[in-house]
Amino acid sequence: MKKRVAVLTGGGDAPGLNAVIRAIVKTAIRQYDYQVIGFLDGFKGVIEKQLINLTEKNVSGILPRGGTILGTTNRDNPFHYWVNDRYEDKSDQCIATIKEHADCLIVIGGDGSLGIGYDLFQKGLPVIGCPKTIDNDLRLNNSQTFGFDTAYAYATEALDRLHSTAESHHRIVCLEVMGRNAGWIALYSGLAGGADVILIPEIPFRYEKIVDKINERLAHNKKFSLVVVAEGAMPEGGEAIYQNSSHEGSPLRLGGIADVVANQLEKITGREARSIVLGHLQRGGSPTAHDRILATLYGAAAMDLVAKEQYGYVVSLDNNQVTPVPLAEATKGIKTVAVDSDLVNTARKIGISFGD
């Protein structure tokens, strides 16, 4: 019998998900003559037995499309599954369903979904991981995750647009970007978009230091300032801001810090300040060429690991070479911005403030 491979997408959506699904299916069929099935809506589809056969016809034309044809969710952990007003462990049921329909599972996801994959692997399920997150916070050597390039490119475009309106009205503009507890999107987009201040979770900020930068610009007759704020940024001695969720089982959701920063800067400086939250605009739309290529590399590499039966690993790209990383390592915490990295030091050299 043909080897049967199951695949699912979990966690938040990211540009490039369809590209990696396409690469998995085409490599499985053309290179290995395997059968591929897809579970719908992440691990929820496994528990509810919602699945489809994936063929080359299914994946035709999806390379440039955003989102995921399989659907996804970030609140259906089979080890902690919400049923009838309480949580239950559905992991054994999850494994039984996967083994009924496939010989192994490829999990396309970030630290949460890959963490679930690793837990299932520890319980005996053959699992391969494929890294996805716009936050770029997976511990994968020097590798980026697909979705990140598209996200910070869009944030950069937003800064380009805000530059002209901020300058016209002499405003302080605070742009909030995603990234959870890592500042990669803020750092990259802030550098590429010419931000004056970049606030990231790794460097707690002080309002007086931000004001110093604004006043420095005013002294040079620059009557506007652009502040990029990572959603997980926090003031020195303070805490990150979370939004309440109306869905049981949903993870805590960061957000709202840019509005707080804008209000405080307006009070301190007496100058008009506005906040903008990019939110899910960073997740949607067509992936960049870089993300399409990276996702394709990862999808094909994941299927190569299946063929070798090298389970318990996640594919990664290190120095342009595809290298498997143990799931145990990839899910052991997150990769954050090093405060003494070349990128941070370069930003400081050209006059960008981190509010410290």
Side-chain angles (χ1 to χ4, degrees), residues 23 107 116 205 267 288 297 300 304 351:
V107 177
I116 294 170
F205 64 86
K267 288 178 184 177
T288 60
L297 276 170
D304 289 340

Side-chain angles (χ1 to χ4, degrees), residues 319-342:
N319 294 321
N320 291 320
Q321 295 292 320
V322 177
T323 307
V325 174
L327 272 168
E329 292 297 321
T331 57
K332 189 186 295 182
I334 63 171
K335 178 182 68 177
T336 56
V337 175
V339 298
D340 60 348
S341 66
D342 287 342

Side-chain angles (χ1 to χ4, degrees), residues 306-324:
V306 169
K308 298 174 186 176
E309 298 189 349
Q310 193 173 345
Y311 301 119
Y313 284 83
V314 56
V315 293
S316 175
L317 192 68
D318 189 18
N319 294 321
N320 291 320
Q321 295 292 320
V322 177
T323 307

Side-chain angles (χ1 to χ4, degrees), residues 1 12 15 35 52-53 56 69 72 84 94 123 144 149 151 175 179 197 204-205 207 210 230 235 278 284 298 316 354:
M1 293 180 61
Q35 179 184 352
I52 59 172
N53 286 319
E56 289 198 77
I69 62 170
T72 188
N84 297 327
C94 180
K123 293 190 73 169
Q144 288 186 0
D149 187 79
L175 177 69
V197 179
F205 64 86
Y207 285 105
I210 303 173
L278 279 189
Y298 282 166
S316 175
F354 287 89

Side-chain angles (χ1 to χ4, degrees), residues 66-254:
T68 163
I69 62 170
L70 294 177
T72 188
T73 176
N74 61 0
R75 58 175 184 268
D76 290 299
N77 183 342
F79 290 89
H80 197 61
Y81 196 77
W82 186 256
V83 181
N84 297 327
D85 299 326
R86 63 189 179 92
Y87 288 106
E88 295 182 4
D89 185 347
K90 295 283 186 179
S91 58
D92 289 338
Q93 176 187 328
C94 180
I95 291 172
T97 298
I98 293 168
K99 288 186 173 180
E100 176 186 351
H101 296 281
D103 301 298
C104 63
L105 174 69
I106 297 176
V107 177
I108 309 170
D111 62 320
S113 299
L114 293 180
I116 294 170
Y118 177 59
D119 290 339
L120 293 173
F121 172 71
Q122 288 187 302
K123 293 190 73 169
L125 182 70
V127 174
I128 298 294
C130 202
K132 167 275 328 168
T133 170
I134 67 168
D135 305 324
N136 196 40
D137 60 355
L138 283 173
R139 298 168 64 93
L140 296 173
N141 301 324
N142 300 313
S143 181
Q144 288 186 0
T145 52
F146 68 84
F148 171 63
D149 187 79
T150 306
Y152 87 76
Y154 185 83
T156 301
E157 181 183 344
L159 280 170
D160 290 344
R161 291 175 178 272
L162 290 170
H163 188 284
S164 59
T165 185
E167 185 175 21
S168 298
H169 290 273
H170 313 311
R171 286 173 176 153
I172 302 165
V173 174
C174 300
L175 177 69
E176 184 173 311
V177 298
M178 286 182 166
R180 297 194 301 177
N181 301 112
W184 296 106
I185 296 176
L187 178 59
Y188 271 67
S189 63
L191 270 169
D196 306 299
V197 179
I198 301 173
L199 304 180
I200 59 177
E202 296 85 349
I203 305 176
F205 64 86
R206 288 183 285 167
Y207 285 105
E208 58 265 34
K209 292 296 184 179
I210 303 173
V211 173
D212 285 346
K213 181 62 185 179
I214 294 169
N215 288 336
E216 175 195 313
R217 289 177 55 76
L218 287 170
H220 290 86
N221 202 34
K222 295 181 178 179
K223 301 177 182 178
F224 73 99
S225 294
L226 293 179
V227 182
V228 179
V229 190
E231 62 183 359
M234 66 192 81
E236 194 173 273
E239 297 180 346
I241 295 177
Y242 290 89
Q243 302 295 312
N244 292 326
S245 175
S246 59
H247 298 284
E248 288 291 348
S250 294
L252 290 172
R253 187 170 70 242
L254 286 159

